[in-house]
Amino acid sequence: MAVVEQENPLVEGLERMPVHPTTLVIFGGTGDLAQRKLLPAIYNLAHEGALPERFNLIAVSRSDDSNEKYRAMARESIEKYSRRSPDAQVLDKLLEQVRYVPGTFDDDAVFSRLGEELGKFDEEAGVPFNRIFYLSTAPGFFALIAQKLGEHGLDQHDESDVRVVIEKPFGTRKSEAQALNRQVLSVLDESQVYRIDHYLGKETVQNVLAFRFANGMFEPIWNRNYIDYVQITASEDIGIGRRAGYYDSSGALRDLVQNHMLQLLTLLCMEPPVTFDADEVRDEKVKVLHAVEPPGKDAVVRARYTAGMAEGKEAVGYLDEEGVPEDSRTETYVALRLEVDNWRWAGVPIYLRTGKRLARKVTEIAVTLKPVPHLAFQAEGSVGVQPNQLVLTVQPNEGVSLSLGAKIPGTRLRIRPVNMEFLYGTSFLSQSPEAYERLIMDAMRGDPTLFTRNDEVEEQWRIIDPILEAWETDETPLAEYPAGSHGPEEADTILAPGHRWRAI
Amino acid sequence: MPGAMPEVPDAGAVWSAEDVAPADIEEALRHLLQQQHARDDAHAPARVLNLVVVVDREWRGEIMNRLEQVGRYHASRTIVCTVDSRRETIDASVVMTVAADADAHELTMTRERVMLELGEKHLPKLDTIVDPLVVTDLPTLVWSPHGHPEAVDALLHLSQVVLIDSVNEPDAMSALRRAKELAEGAYVVDLAWLRTTPWRERVASTFDPPRWRPDLQRIDGVTIRHRPDSGVAGVLFFGWLASRLGWGTGTLMAVNGSVRGRAQGHRDEVELTLQPDPEQSAPGLAAVEIHTSSGMSISLDRGPGGLVARRRDHKGREQSWTVLGASRGEGGILGEGIRQALLRDPAYRRALDCGEALLR
């Protein structure tokens, strides 16, 4: 019998819209990401009553575990990493709905068993559940899993949706990203693919859009006529810890610039979309990337940290970190100058920098306006008069700061810069949800706005790829900076005359 | 429920005086804020919402405890007006508070708590006392859990939101009438309505799959069990269904300890039943059961870890599952009420109108 689709009149006024019954399958269910982020996020959604009314979880992994053993592991992870103490009854009930399928991702029997488990859930409920396959595995398995899902008929499901969430990194070079897109899209439609960049799940990053498009006062100055230059900084005070295996093959450029920092750049520079529908927003972001040319050699600086002092303690240099090869040429810091060659931004340098073991952890976007054309006050002995700077801090203290020139109290007309500060935390009661909670819910609701589209990821790599290519043949020794410092001196060489890095 | 982090006085940021005028209190607030900023510029005053609470002296402790339990949903400035019927003068104290786990060197949000001791004679003109004390340009929420309608009426013109709990009124009819009256002058957040939220969300979810949406038009019976004092929450729930599903007018009447009635649904008459449940300890609903003319029924009951849902199809096949969710507790409900002051729920007013029409 044909189902007549009609609106659900009961949803008006509800903050949480109904989500179709869903089975979430985590490939790599025993991995670090699943234990630290995904399982706690799912628990918190359950605690808040935000999960679909009917929800099941299946974990697939290599370990030869049973349902019971996996549930015990999941309980331990949730108790350890959840942002709130779990409610025992909610946790028990959630774990009752968890199944474990052991096996390797190239094993057809695993996918047959998975299909059976998914079918059982549907049958018991009498309704076809939506299926979300979350690929929380090493990147080498992404294409294989997509292929196996197709071979076993798990890429489609009658009367419900099938979506595949793919973790980063989505390729390590442009050619790899393109090949991966081809492989994945030979099985799935683009509308089924949710490439995750957890940065976009942060409330603070989404606030960049709200700041720009909900406040009329900024739009008139948001262009080359008023903006002198932009700096986007993502600095970390910590080193690489025990992640040498991953980090040494990745480096700062792939780890943060190719994805997170280019996302910030697109949100900052994009044109206002007509609506906030997923493709409208993503179309505008892609246009920005399309207008960015890969930077030349003189617009990029890479460096690595040497021994220094961090948080009052001695910190070893990168080459002395555990697991880092002696001959490593991996950068722990990168700074680059980009330009967005379009009507709005042509000629405005956009500086990006990121690094490990810097003086402080901060992620911010600083927009420096052009100076006033004539400064009559200078003769009066003003101090430190600077062009206005608007700083959007993404973390840790999310807020907006605007530097203004103000008169120093007294009989003379002297000026000095002061800050007008706004902190988001002072104006909202609610706590931001964890990025993974937001993104898992969006995937279950079928909203891809905060996920990266295929053309977007390929455009990102188009910008980054030539830098990596140039580095492969460049034998110049890497610049260095002491741990706990503000980065290498060489970073100043990419700045245009009169521009300077903000203190980290 | 959100993490309940108590607010504690910030060191050195306390002021009190007897027989004061509002201007003295306002000056003290300004002075304390300046002092606090000078002492530690990592302290930033929260600026979200003013909350004005009017309480009876003998029950103040209980209300303060409830306010402590609202988790992260503390108002940025709370003004507690404690009513002592015989009092002639106003005493006041001001305390700047910070979260108990605030780190001395980290950016810390501070809040202000103003405690006023006043008499019943002050209530009809309470606005003239409170007005200088609220932070200008922030929404102001008024809550008077022990009645004192004259105080609420006085404050109505300077507040945008009134927090009520309809279960505190003597009967459902007077509760809904009072809510409607207040809704003429301000946005009303009703805790009785907020307690129905998980139930409404679940019913909306249950009928959301396209194959089951047509059954909404075939509803022919709704039974609600509730704590004996929370019948009004059930009436609001009926009002919600009636307003959303376009039911025609109906009536509800008390019959043998229950309230029963009918409303005109799209195809069938809908039988409505409210049953008090003495076993139910928390205010609000205990269970919801919905029948359709096609022979399908769904029910929701409180259970461990969430609501226990049961569905029986027209062939009599039954399924049961738990809709996950932790209980918010009464502290959590109050916190939700404060949070809702900054939002707007268009469904409440319509549910209120339809609920009242059913009782007429």
Side-chain angles (χ1 to χ4, degrees):
Chain A
M1 189 181 80
V3 174
V4 181
E5 185 104 19
Q6 58 189 54
E7 292 290 307
N8 179 352
L10 300 183
V11 299
E12 195 195 61
L14 295 180
E15 266 188 275
R16 274 197 287 266
M17 303 302 268
V19 183
H20 191 83
T22 301
T23 300
L24 175 66
V25 179
I26 304 178
F27 285 93
T30 56
D32 198 49
L33 180 71
Q35 293 198 45
R36 285 174 180 270
K37 296 288 182 187
L38 304 183
L39 291 168
I42 291 162
Y43 169 76
N44 280 302
L45 292 169
H47 185 105
E48 287 166 6
L51 284 179
E53 188 199 356
R54 306 194 76 166
F55 175 80
N56 309 299
L57 176 68
I58 301 176
V60 184
S61 212
R62 273 175 299 187
S63 324
D64 193 19
D65 291 341
S66 60
N67 284 338
E68 278 63 41
K69 213 167 157 193
Y70 185 76
R71 287 177 188 143
M73 186 223 78
R75 180 187 297 277
E76 201 179 312
S77 302
I78 290 165
E79 284 169 348
K80 190 168 175 188
Y81 297 115
S82 167
R83 66 183 164 90
R84 57 156 69 86
S85 301
D87 175 298
Q89 292 180 327
V90 176
L91 184 52
D92 286 349
K93 287 289 176 188
L94 173 67
L95 294 176
E96 277 178 18
Q97 295 306 111
V98 173
R99 303 283 183 276
Y100 183 70
V101 175
T104 54
F105 307 134
D106 59 352
D107 183 355
D108 285 309
V110 168
F111 289 84
S112 300
R113 164 101 191 270
L114 179 59
E116 285 166 22
E117 293 287 351
L118 287 163
K120 270 192 237 166
F121 281 134
D122 289 2
E123 205 174 312
E124 281 165 20
V127 59
F129 281 55
N130 280 352
R131 295 169 177 183
I132 312 287
F133 298 104
Y134 197 120
L135 312 194
S136 171
T137 66
F141 293 115
F142 294 163
L144 175 67
I145 294 170
Q147 181 200 326
K148 291 285 178 195
L149 290 174
E151 285 171 8
H152 288 262
L154 297 173
D155 57 319
Q156 299 292 332
H157 191 36
D158 287 346
E159 280 189 54
S160 63
D161 296 326
V162 176
R163 301 180 195 118
V164 176
V165 180
I166 302 181
E167 262 296 333
K168 76 162 197 164
F170 199 86
T172 58
R173 295 292 293 264
K174 186 183 175 192
S175 55
E176 222 177 273
Q178 285 173 321
L180 186 51
N181 268 335
R182 270 197 306 276
Q183 288 163 322
V184 169
L185 296 177
S186 69
V187 179
L188 302 157
D189 186 78
E190 174 63 26
S191 63
Q192 294 178 283
V193 183
Y194 287 60
R195 296 170 195 81
I196 210 162
D197 181 342
H198 76 272
Y199 229 55
L200 284 177
K202 288 178 185 284
E203 201 84 6
T204 52
V205 172
Q206 295 158 45
N207 253 327
V208 175
L209 288 181
F211 175 82
R212 283 195 58 202
F213 301 132
N215 299 290
M217 65 193 284
F218 300 108
E219 179 55 25
I221 61 163
W222 214 252
N223 56 55
R224 63 192 305 275
N225 298 326
Y226 292 92
I227 292 178
D228 194 7
Y229 63 102
V230 174
Q231 275 180 35
I232 303 178
T233 301
S235 69
E236 292 184 88
D237 53 356
I238 54 169
I240 57 160
R242 290 164 183 263
R243 295 171 67 224
Y246 159 75
Y247 197 86
D248 199 64
S249 63
S250 166
L253 189 67
R254 286 191 182 97
D255 190 41
L256 274 167
V257 178
Q258 178 265 329
N259 36 61
H260 304 331
M261 297 189 79
L262 288 181
Q263 290 286 0
L264 288 179
L265 181 145
T266 55
L267 297 177
L268 186 85
C269 297
M270 67 189 265
E271 294 299 316
V274 177
T275 67
F276 278 88
D277 287 347
D279 276 333
E280 296 266 3
V281 173
R282 297 192 296 182
D283 284 347
E284 295 303 336
K285 286 166 67 186
V286 171
K287 280 186 207 166
V288 173
L289 293 170
H290 197 60
V292 177
E293 281 304 307
K297 198 177 169 191
D298 61 342
V300 182
V301 168
R302 62 172 165 162
R304 73 172 156 237
Y305 60 86
T306 56
M309 295 290 287
E311 297 176 324
K313 293 181 208 151
E314 286 184 6
V316 297
Y318 178 70
L319 293 178
D320 294 320
E321 295 275 16
E322 192 185 325
V324 173
E326 278 175 25
D327 59 349
S328 168
R329 286 182 59 77
T330 299
E331 78 288 357
T332 62
Y333 175 101
V334 64
L336 41 148
R337 185 181 70 240
L338 298 175
E339 282 194 25
V340 179
D341 283 324
N342 62 17
W343 194 277
R344 186 190 285 264
W345 291 103
V348 179
I350 298 180
Y351 303 107
L352 272 52
R353 66 176 162 166
T354 180
K356 296 241 174 232
R357 273 276 184 245
L358 291 168
R360 197 163 64 93
K361 176 185 171 72
V362 67
T363 302
E364 64 173 29
I365 300 167
V367 178
T368 305
L369 301 188
K370 290 186 172 170
V372 291
H374 172 63
L375 202 58
F377 306 110
Q378 245 165 1
E380 291 289 327
S382 300
V383 283
V385 174
Q386 289 162 2
N388 301 118
Q389 201 166 55
L390 183 71
V391 181
L392 309 175
T393 308
V394 173
Q395 60 183 14
N397 294 323
E398 184 197 9
V400 181
S401 157
L402 177 64
S403 72
L404 304 163
K407 180 183 172 296
I408 301 169
T411 53
R412 297 176 62 196
L413 194 52
R414 295 177 303 169
I415 306 294
R416 85 168 169 81
V418 293
N419 274 357
M420 191 162 79
E421 304 258 5
F422 167 68
L423 295 164
Y424 280 95
T426 61
S427 296
F428 294 94
L429 292 168
S430 309
Q431 195 181 45
S432 302
E434 282 280 310
Y436 277 100
E437 291 170 32
R438 167 71 198 260
L439 294 171
I440 289 170
M441 271 317 291
D442 280 3
M444 288 198 281
R445 285 202 314 243
D447 180 354
T449 311
L450 300 178
F451 295 83
T452 315
R453 207 168 56 188
N454 58 345
D455 51 348
E456 195 177 350
V457 80
E458 288 184 21
E459 279 295 317
Q460 290 171 342
W461 280 116
R462 182 188 61 75
I463 297 164
I464 298 302
D465 224 30
I467 306 173
L468 292 166
E469 208 171 289
W471 284 354
E472 275 172 2
T473 54
D474 181 5
E475 294 186 354
T476 319
L478 260 63
E480 294 182 330
Y481 61 100
S485 70
H486 285 230
E489 287 174 4
E490 288 83 346
D492 290 350
T493 61
I494 66 168
L495 297 174
H499 296 176
R500 58 192 179 88
W501 291 111
R502 276 171 55 80
I504 284 175
Chain B
M1 182 188 144
M5 183 49 60
E7 292 278 308
V8 296
D10 190 16
V14 179
W15 170 92
S16 68
E18 293 180 355
D19 195 6
V20 290
D24 302 329
I25 309 167
E26 190 212 359
E27 193 185 328
L29 271 162
R30 253 186 294 121
H31 186 63
L32 286 177
L33 280 165
Q34 281 165 5
Q35 268 187 340
Q36 192 179 48
H37 187 71
R39 200 169 53 239
D40 189 345
D41 62 8
H43 281 176
R47 286 292 173 257
V48 188
L49 183 75
N50 300 300
L51 170 62
V52 183
V53 189
V54 183
V55 293
D56 283 343
R57 185 177 173 73
E58 57 269 45
W59 301 109
R60 181 175 63 182
E62 187 215 331
I63 296 300
M64 295 310 291
N65 282 342
R66 282 182 74 182
L67 285 172
E68 279 299 321
Q69 290 165 21
V70 299
R72 69 181 84 102
Y73 301 129
H74 291 284
S76 30
R77 180 171 291 180
T78 303
I79 300 166
V80 179
C81 306
T82 305
V83 184
D84 181 345
S85 54
R86 290 159 302 172
R87 180 174 269 281
E88 294 290 322
T89 57
I90 301 172
D91 291 353
S93 64
V94 178
V95 185
M96 319 294 273
T97 64
V98 291
D101 64 345
D103 187 321
H105 306 294
E106 291 290 315
L107 185 73
T108 304
M109 254 186 298
T110 64
R111 297 180 175 85
E112 299 103 47
R113 191 187 300 155
V114 181
M115 305 292 290
L116 301 178
E117 306 265 351
L118 38 76
E120 258 175 9
K121 72 166 203 175
H122 296 109
L123 297 184
K125 289 286 173 196
L126 190 57
D127 52 333
T128 61
I129 298 167
V130 168
D131 199 352
L133 306 182
V134 296
V135 183
T136 315
D137 295 334
L138 291 188
T140 296
L141 169 65
V142 172
W143 181 39
S144 184
H146 303 137
H148 300 298
E150 71 279 32
V152 177
D153 291 342
L155 293 170
L156 214 48
H157 75 93
L158 60 89
S159 55
Q160 291 72 41
V161 190
V162 179
L163 183 69
I164 60 171
D165 190 348
S166 287
V167 302
N168 291 341
E169 295 291 330
D171 60 78
M173 190 61 189
S174 49
L176 299 187
R177 284 203 174 134
R178 177 63 175 155
K180 275 189 80 170
E181 195 181 297
L182 290 170
E184 296 301 322
Y187 177 68
V188 173
V189 175
D190 188 344
L191 299 182
W193 171 251
L194 297 185
R195 289 190 197 94
T196 69
T197 303
W199 304 86
R200 288 183 287 117
E201 283 177 350
R202 295 316 171 194
V203 170
S205 284
T206 298
F207 287 98
D208 195 59
R211 61 163 66 174
W212 289 332
R213 273 182 218 169
D215 279 329
L216 281 170
Q217 307 302 331
R218 301 193 187 104
I219 291 176
D220 64 358
V222 183
T223 301
I224 290 175
R225 285 192 288 116
H226 57 87
R227 195 169 89 160
D229 65 354
S230 300
V232 66
V235 177
L236 285 169
F237 192 92
F238 286 152
W240 171 66
L241 283 175
S243 64
R244 299 311 313 149
L245 298 176
W247 292 349
T249 49
T251 51
L252 284 172
M253 281 184 297
V255 181
N256 297 333
S258 296
V259 172
R260 292 176 189 277
R262 287 176 183 280
Q264 184 55 53
H266 273 275
R267 299 182 184 181
D268 311 289
E269 274 211 322
V270 185
E271 201 167 307
L272 306 173
T273 310
L274 284 178
Q275 290 176 344
D277 181 351
E279 302 289 305
Q280 169 67 27
S281 56
L285 307 187
V288 172
E289 193 170 337
I290 297 177
H291 293 265
T292 69
S293 56
S294 58
M296 193 269 279
S297 73
I298 65 144
S299 69
L300 294 165
D301 289 83
R302 289 175 186 256
L307 296 178
V308 178
R310 285 186 192 82
R311 170 188 287 275
R312 192 167 50 78
D313 67 17
H314 63 284
K315 289 181 182 165
R317 289 175 301 208
E318 194 169 296
Q319 288 175 29
S320 173
W321 67 94
T322 298
V323 187
L324 299 170
S327 167
R328 292 177 288 181
E330 279 301 288
I333 294 287
L334 179 58
E336 180 63 12
I338 295 171
R339 190 179 78 88
Q340 288 287 332
L342 300 170
L343 304 170
R344 292 295 178 266
D345 176 359
Y348 173 68
R349 184 63 203 263
R350 290 171 207 146
L352 188 61
D353 290 341
C354 285
E356 196 214 6
L358 284 170
L359 287 176
R360 248 183 243 147

